[in-house]
Amino acid sequence: MAKHKTPLLDQLESGPWPSFVSDIKQEAAARAKNVKGLDYQIPADVCEDLLGILELSYKDGTTHWKHGGIVGVFGYGGGIIGRYCDKPLDFPGVAAFHTVRVAQPGGKYYTSAYLRQLMDIWDLRGSGLTNMHGSTGDIILLGTTTPQLEEIFYQLTHEMNQDLGGSGSNLRTPADCIGSSRCEYSCIDTQELCYYLTMRYQDELHRPAFPYKFKFKFDGCPNGCVCSIARSDLSFIGTWKDAIQINQAEVKAYVDGQSPAGGGSHSSRDWGKFDIQKEVIDLCPTKCMAYVNGELKIYDKECTRCMHCINVMPKALKPGKEKGVSILCGAKAPIVDGAQMGTLIRPFIAVDQTMDKQLSDFDSEDEWVEYLDEKYADITEFVELVWDYWMEEGKNRERLGELMIREGLQKFLEKTETDPMAVHVQHPRTNPYIFWKEDEVDGGWERDIEEYRKAHAR
Amino acid sequence: MALDKAEAQKVIVDQLEKKGKSKSKFYLKDFYAFFPDEKPRTVKNIVNELVGDGILEYWSSGSTTMIGLKGAGKQAGAEGED
Amino acid sequence: MAFISAGYNPDKPMENRITDIGPRHYDEFYPEVIKKNKGKWSHHEILEPGVLVHVAESGDKIFTVRCGGARLMTVTHIREICDIADKYCNGHVRFTTRNNIEFLVDTLDKVNALKADLAQRKFDGGSMKFPVGGTGSGISNIVHTQGWIHCHTPATDASGTVKATMDAVFEDFQSMKMPAKLRISMACCLNMCGAVHCSDIAILGYHRKPPILDHEYLDKVCEIPLAVASCPTAAIRPSKVELPNGTTVNSVAVKNERCMYCGNCYTMCPSMPLSDKEGDGIVLMAGGKVSNRISAPKFSKVVVAFLPNETPRWPTMTETIKKMINAYSNGANKYERLGDWADRIGWERFFEVCELDFTHHLIDDFRDAAYHTWRQSTLFKF
């Protein structure tokens, strides 16, 4: 018998999509039964009370949570979000319901052994509810009490060699796409770069260092599966500089209908026979391709690497061999001045393709990190230039993108030691209000009025 | 010249106590203003060390972090966390 | 309940403390075939909706079965995922950036056995635990925020709106008949913890009333300077207020017409609650994307200014979303994303074919950027 009646939420149990209501009820039942005989460290009926308070929100159309800010683990400024309910007498099980952010592994690959160990901690010390995963990328453990926070942190670090993620004015937990671990499009090892920078900047991740939040995300190619260009202050997108690799025989196999276009991405609908002219050549945004006499030609100099032809014919076309990253800066959600997309700052930082050693090739993680220090030196130098500027000039709660707008792209390029190039703009300015610097103008601004008057009467 | 931690602690505690009549939580930037000649990074490291020493504490809105003297302010009582 | 110590000593928090160790290294979690072929994948194919095969240069293959998941998951459910991973995948499993679960197996036989197993796993309420799909030109899982389950400033629920929407578009999760991929995202207030501003379709919770002021308690539980400073539009100022009993207290005043309903003040001050049954509801946005494929990434545009919170299943919202998806599916060319289609036919035509009303709320009036969204040409459609 459920503790609270939930007639509205019960209506979310039907339909095919996995029902979070059914899942929470399943957890409530498991806790009530307690077959393992656990001494639950927070109220056993926490899931019942959560359903009860959620039902109340469904009835009265308002939230029943209040923010709390002091709770955390000692010495860390992030990783824990305090939360209290505003009806603690009716729903004592969720009176305090804090969140723990756990740093997710690269590519979100897991072993069951790891997940089971984490679930055992959370079963004992928390609500048994999680998010797999939060928006930034962390594993979210949803709902525990203050005395459990240090205990959970102790168990995570001592028993699982596992740290918390970021929150507040910290570096947020960096996140990556699946990258070259299972994707042929990826131009970089997103997991390696993400992990390396995460470890290098642990202090910035756990202790506030900045005017506001700061996010890194890593996309292996311009398809952008982890949405870095829209969601991260520093967006790293894998790309290439040389020619797309073409296998003409495989191109022909697509043309002849032997290979499914898009790897079968449109197979549930009859779009007719694959037509390379219509589906690839004509859709190329720069019109830099042609299919002539059974041969695909790409004028690579004009290619902007949009990925469309590669996406449609993955067996026949591969990104080039000279690979690296484009770095875009300043993306953010709308608050306050409107949403911003990342602005291209470093078009190409090469990543040495011969430096392909993995952790397992080294005696220790330290030696591997030294190797990566060299491999990614140009990237870390850039990151630190950006941070120096933002820490000096950013106002309280001003995201990097807002600082860039306030002080201008020229200033940002100057501070990050980036030479201005035509690729930095969609088009040049449409007003001529150029603020010249004095040293750019021959002779400077100091002039002699008497000299002028010799040629111009008063 | 390196910033002396004991001296810095005194400046910070004095300043926060002085301002503490009206508010108890401050942005990291506010601490930079106490030490106009120092690099933000230097001040940040000292502030974070003082949290580790139990002199200061963090307050997090989830999106922003603020810093104040440990135990100061009204919210701890309201949350039953004092 | 007896408190069980993990070993932490509250009197000496720094004793044996381990910090700054970061996440576990990904190498520990890679399946063998991933470890062996990383960086050497040749190509992939989507064998059927939800089932992929990746082929390495070495000839090795890995099959992926992708399942939808509510991102709100319990310990019990995750243990069931582990059981499946142990039975079919040597204990390996991964999650996608869109809250899908991926089981990786090494043979097609295992794919078929796994699929049959997943199909019969259902919750007691009847919904599927592991629906297979979410690939190619279909509708993948919705990324979303917390909503009423855990957040202090939501204008709607997240899990409920997502469940209702995914039920409504479920057929397209399990098929690939859209002109291109279609990504739906959900954020429960305009702070957008889940950045939804570049999605084909975005569901956004929105408040329409400034905070209520609990003058009697405000100065007792809040620090007024912090409440004032929290406002991004400087709409809050300190003020003295006379209570009905004649006493004067320190409090704040809000310039209502400046309020953008972000809830930052409620974060700092529990005496300024924001949520309201009539005021709160849903904004729908459309036409955004993050991929650079064919066209540049673009922002979503507001296409429905407000829909009320119709709990528990938000029928007007799901019907409106379905109308947009149907119009797009019928009208767009192969490979054309929703925003590219709308740009091609013109937004005036978009409102017509989606049967949406255009109201003054949809004209941008926020600061300088608004001008660039007005039409400065005679190129329009009747």
Side-chain angles (χ1 to χ4, degrees):
Chain A
M1 182 64 198
K3 183 175 171 185
H4 306 282
K5 284 209 161 63
T6 55
L8 292 170
L9 291 178
D10 294 350
Q11 295 177 55
L12 287 171
E13 291 202 84
S14 57
W17 188 253
S19 168
F20 69 100
V21 176
S22 298
D23 196 9
I24 300 173
K25 283 187 177 179
Q26 148 177 290
E27 192 63 22
R31 286 176 79 94
K33 231 184 192 173
N34 192 10
V35 289
K36 287 185 186 167
L38 293 180
D39 190 0
Y40 288 120
Q41 296 291 290
I42 76 164
D45 58 359
V46 52
C47 294
E48 305 263 11
D49 277 352
L50 184 70
L51 286 170
I53 202 160
L54 186 61
E55 176 76 14
L56 186 59
S57 286
Y58 271 65
K59 216 182 293 174
D60 67 17
T62 57
T63 189
H64 287 282
W65 299 101
K66 289 191 294 181
H67 196 271
I70 293 154
V71 294
V73 299
F74 188 76
Y76 274 16
I80 307 285
I81 314 288
R83 195 80 16 153
Y84 304 86
C85 104
D86 68 4
K87 301 275 277 177
L89 297 178
D90 296 339
F91 307 98
V94 294
F97 202 66
H98 311 317
T99 299
V100 181
R101 291 186 182 172
V102 178
Q104 83 286 1
K108 300 191 177 81
Y109 285 95
Y110 294 98
T111 56
S112 57
Y114 170 91
L115 286 175
R116 285 184 202 280
Q117 201 181 357
L118 186 64
M119 290 308 109
D120 285 348
I121 295 175
W122 192 236
D123 204 4
L124 179 70
R125 301 195 178 277
S127 67
L129 305 176
T130 78
N131 290 148
M132 297 298 280
H133 296 74
S135 300
T136 301
D138 304 274
I139 304 166
I140 306 287
L141 304 178
L142 206 61
T144 190
T145 58
T146 307
Q148 293 305 315
L149 296 172
E150 288 287 356
E151 305 297 328
I152 291 166
F153 181 65
Y154 191 94
Q155 279 193 283
L156 287 176
T157 51
H158 285 75
E159 296 169 15
M160 295 192 69
N161 187 27
Q162 170 67 55
D163 209 336
L164 300 183
S167 64
S169 306
N170 300 17
L171 173 64
R172 299 306 184 81
T173 315
D176 52 9
C177 73
I178 193 165
S180 55
S181 71
R182 199 202 58 194
C183 181
E184 68 270 25
Y185 300 149
S186 187
C187 298
I188 51 169
D189 184 345
T190 52
Q191 263 105 72
E192 180 180 270
L193 181 55
C194 182
Y195 182 83
Y196 168 66
L197 293 181
T198 303
M199 297 311 285
R200 182 182 173 99
Y201 300 120
Q202 279 289 294
D203 187 36
E204 284 80 359
L205 197 149
H206 296 302
R207 295 165 200 88
F210 305 126
Y212 202 12
K213 63 179 85 164
F214 196 92
K215 298 184 180 182
F216 287 157
K217 290 192 193 297
F218 306 88
D219 276 308
C221 81
N223 280 325
C225 288
V226 82
C227 312
S228 70
I229 200 168
R231 306 201 299 159
S232 49
D233 300 87
L234 281 195
S235 158
F236 299 83
I237 301 180
T239 192
W240 68 95
K241 216 174 179 176
D242 53 345
I244 291 174
Q245 304 177 61
I246 308 177
N247 179 329
Q248 296 290 355
E250 292 289 358
V251 173
K252 196 148 189 324
Y254 283 103
V255 173
D256 295 345
Q258 287 156 10
S259 297
S265 61
H266 288 67
S267 63
S268 307
R269 175 155 153 187
D270 184 8
W271 291 93
K273 190 176 172 292
F274 175 67
D275 180 341
I276 192 170
Q277 185 64 37
K278 205 171 113 201
E279 297 188 33
V280 180
I281 311 293
D282 292 350
L283 290 181
C284 172
T286 62
K287 305 284 177 272
C288 69
M289 336 178 69
Y291 189 67
V292 194
N293 301 329
E295 199 178 338
L296 181 69
K297 296 201 163 137
I298 304 178
Y299 187 49
D300 287 280
K301 191 171 187 325
E302 296 307 311
C303 171
T304 51
R305 302 167 310 285
C306 86
M307 295 298 293
H308 176 65
C309 58
I310 298 175
N311 288 336
V312 175
M313 302 189 291
K315 276 186 184 171
L317 303 179
K318 315 260 177 248
K321 291 177 174 168
E322 191 185 348
K323 292 170 179 168
V325 288
S326 298
I327 302 182
L328 296 90
C329 303
K332 55 176 276 293
I335 289 274
V336 179
D337 262 343
Q340 282 177 241
M341 210 87 79
T343 296
L344 181 71
I345 301 298
R346 288 293 176 93
F348 190 76
I349 293 184
V351 175
D352 186 344
Q353 296 299 301
T354 64
M355 294 185 77
D356 59 355
K357 286 190 190 172
Q358 299 292 310
L359 173 59
S360 52
D361 298 324
F362 295 87
D363 292 335
S364 70
E365 188 163 324
D366 286 348
E367 285 176 37
W368 176 65
V369 167
E370 266 177 49
Y371 176 78
L372 297 182
D373 283 340
E374 187 191 332
K375 182 172 178 181
Y376 296 119
D378 291 347
I379 289 175
T380 52
E381 189 193 337
F382 179 76
V383 168
E384 286 158 29
L385 285 171
V386 169
W387 281 350
D388 283 346
Y389 171 49
W390 188 45
M391 287 168 78
E392 289 269 2
E393 302 300 334
K395 294 181 178 174
N396 290 325
R397 290 197 307 169
E398 182 176 57
R399 290 287 288 271
L400 182 68
E402 293 165 313
L403 172 64
M404 288 168 67
I405 288 188
R406 183 163 60 83
E407 296 212 317
L409 182 58
Q410 281 97 330
K411 176 67 130 243
F412 192 74
L413 294 175
E414 182 189 318
K415 290 288 185 180
T416 57
E417 299 174 10
T418 309
D419 289 333
M421 289 171 273
V423 295
H424 284 129
V425 294
Q426 296 184 36
H427 55 73
R429 65 196 306 159
T430 55
N431 64 66
Y433 310 144
I434 300 164
F435 290 93
W436 291 97
K437 290 180 184 155
E438 186 175 5
D439 61 11
E440 289 181 316
V441 184
D442 285 346
W445 290 344
E446 292 301 318
R447 288 186 284 164
D448 185 344
I449 187 67
E450 298 307 330
E451 205 51 43
Y452 183 82
R453 285 297 167 218
K454 284 179 189 165
H456 305 268
R458 280 196 173 85
Chain B
M1 192 191 75
L3 186 58
D4 179 73
K5 189 177 157 192
E7 245 170 70
Q9 178 175 338
K10 190 173 175 316
V11 172
I12 288 171
V13 172
D14 285 354
Q15 288 277 356
L16 296 197
E17 280 176 351
K18 199 168 80 192
K19 295 171 194 274
K21 289 183 189 73
S22 59
K23 64 173 181 173
S24 67
K25 299 174 194 61
F26 301 83
Y27 291 111
L28 190 55
K29 273 244 139 184
D30 301 333
F31 292 82
Y32 299 166
F34 304 159
F35 307 97
D37 300 332
E38 295 293 336
K39 280 269 183 210
R41 204 177 289 275
T42 314
V43 179
K44 174 210 85 166
N45 288 338
I46 288 200
V47 167
N48 287 334
E49 273 181 48
L50 292 176
V51 172
D53 295 344
I55 310 289
L56 303 176
E57 73 181 358
Y58 298 126
W59 182 94
S60 172
S61 76
S63 64
T64 327
T65 309
M66 301 183 82
I67 301 153
L69 290 170
K70 193 174 171 67
K74 296 170 182 171
Q75 202 169 356
E79 289 170 12
E81 304 290 356
D82 48 353
Chain C
M1 177 204 86
F3 187 83
I4 301 172
S5 169
Y8 171 73
N9 178 358
D11 296 327
K12 294 182 180 164
M14 295 311 287
E15 193 176 75
N16 297 325
R17 196 170 190 83
I18 298 175
T19 66
D20 300 80
I21 55 175
R24 291 270 284 268
H25 194 280
Y26 47 84
D27 260 359
E28 296 180 51
F29 299 122
Y30 281 158
E32 274 310 312
V33 59
I34 293 286
K35 217 177 271 182
K36 184 180 157 205
N37 295 290
K38 181 174 176 176
K40 298 175 192 123
W41 293 100
S42 161
H43 59 275
H44 76 279
E45 208 172 295
I46 306 170
L47 300 175
E48 59 183 277
V51 180
L52 303 108
V53 60
H54 285 80
V55 183
E57 290 163 7
S58 66
D60 287 354
K61 287 182 180 177
I62 188 163
F63 297 88
T64 300
V65 177
R66 183 178 293 171
C67 311
R71 80 161 201 177
L72 178 59
M73 277 180 197
T74 66
V75 162
T76 304
H77 191 63
I78 292 170
R79 285 178 177 147
E80 187 169 341
I81 293 171
C82 291
D83 291 341
I84 298 167
D86 286 344
K87 189 166 172 195
Y88 298 96
C89 319
N90 295 320
H92 292 279
V93 63
R94 72 172 292 270
F95 292 80
T96 72
T97 53
R98 302 193 76 84
N99 310 323
N100 292 312
I101 307 150
E102 288 190 344
F103 294 108
L104 310 173
V105 296
D106 48 17
T107 66
L108 205 49
D109 287 347
K110 281 192 196 164
V111 169
N112 292 325
L114 174 59
K115 269 175 48 200
D117 185 339
L118 295 172
Q120 50 86 32
R121 292 177 189 260
K122 294 196 168 151
F123 285 111
D124 285 348
S127 66
M128 302 180 74
K129 283 179 172 170
F130 303 104
V132 174
T135 51
S137 60
I139 300 179
S140 191
N141 201 347
I142 300 177
V143 290
H144 65 93
T145 57
Q146 300 289 14
W148 288 331
I149 205 101
H150 199 243
C151 182
H152 65 299
T153 59
T156 188
D157 190 34
S159 303
T161 52
V162 165
K163 162 73 174 155
T165 304
M166 285 311 293
D167 278 342
V169 303
F170 187 72
E171 196 198 329
D172 288 308
F173 178 78
Q174 296 205 303
S175 70
M176 305 187 290
K177 58 185 169 54
M178 288 289 134
K181 63 169 76 167
L182 193 143
R183 296 285 176 262
I184 308 177
S185 309
M186 194 283 156
C188 54
C189 81
L190 84 173
N191 289 300
M192 291 193 194
C193 298
V196 301
H197 54 283
C198 298
S199 309
D200 294 282
I201 294 177
I203 304 167
L204 175 66
Y206 205 78
H207 302 282
R208 298 184 301 167
K209 295 189 185 182
I212 332 172
L213 306 174
D214 194 356
H215 292 302
E216 190 182 343
Y217 288 88
L218 198 140
D219 191 38
K220 293 180 190 147
V221 292
C222 312
E223 297 182 22
I224 288 171
L226 295 179
V228 169
S230 72
C231 180
T233 63
I236 304 174
R237 61 182 166 79
S239 90
K240 291 213 187 294
V241 175
E242 192 180 319
L243 298 176
N245 67 13
T247 55
T248 300
V249 293
N250 291 321
S251 188
V252 298
V254 177
K255 206 173 208 178
N256 285 336
E257 65 277 15
R258 284 188 76 112
C259 176
M260 66 195 299
Y261 330 109
C262 69
N264 285 1
C265 54
Y266 184 56
T267 303
M268 299 305 295
C269 175
S271 292
M272 302 179 73
L274 192 68
S275 63
D276 183 90
K277 189 178 176 105
E278 284 74 37
D280 298 353
I282 302 271
V283 170
L284 291 179
M285 301 174 76
K289 71 194 268 275
V290 293
S291 164
N292 289 276
R293 184 174 182 175
I294 302 178
S295 64
K298 48 176 82 114
F299 293 120
S300 311
K301 285 87 181 166
V302 178
V303 293
V304 177
F306 186 79
L307 295 171
N309 276 322
E310 300 166 325
T311 61
R313 279 196 165 267
W314 286 268
T316 311
M317 176 194 78
T318 56
E319 279 158 27
T320 310
I321 290 171
K322 284 286 278 189
K323 276 198 288 192
M324 284 194 274
I325 292 172
N326 288 338
Y328 161 67
S329 182
N330 293 333
N333 297 327
K334 191 178 180 186
Y335 304 116
E336 196 169 42
R337 292 286 290 262
L338 193 145
D340 291 332
W341 164 69
D343 283 347
R344 176 170 62 80
I345 64 172
W347 285 89
E348 62 271 43
R349 190 67 79 231
F350 173 89
F351 280 88
E352 184 187 308
V353 296
C354 295
E355 299 167 38
L356 298 175
D357 291 330
F358 188 89
T359 65
H360 74 87
H361 309 98
L362 306 181
I363 299 173
D364 198 347
D365 58 358
F366 191 72
R367 303 190 180 171
D368 294 352
Y371 167 80
H372 300 285
T373 69
W374 307 340
R375 190 179 309 260
Q376 288 97 20
S377 82
T378 58
L379 306 171
F380 63 90
K381 292 182 179 175
F382 290 107

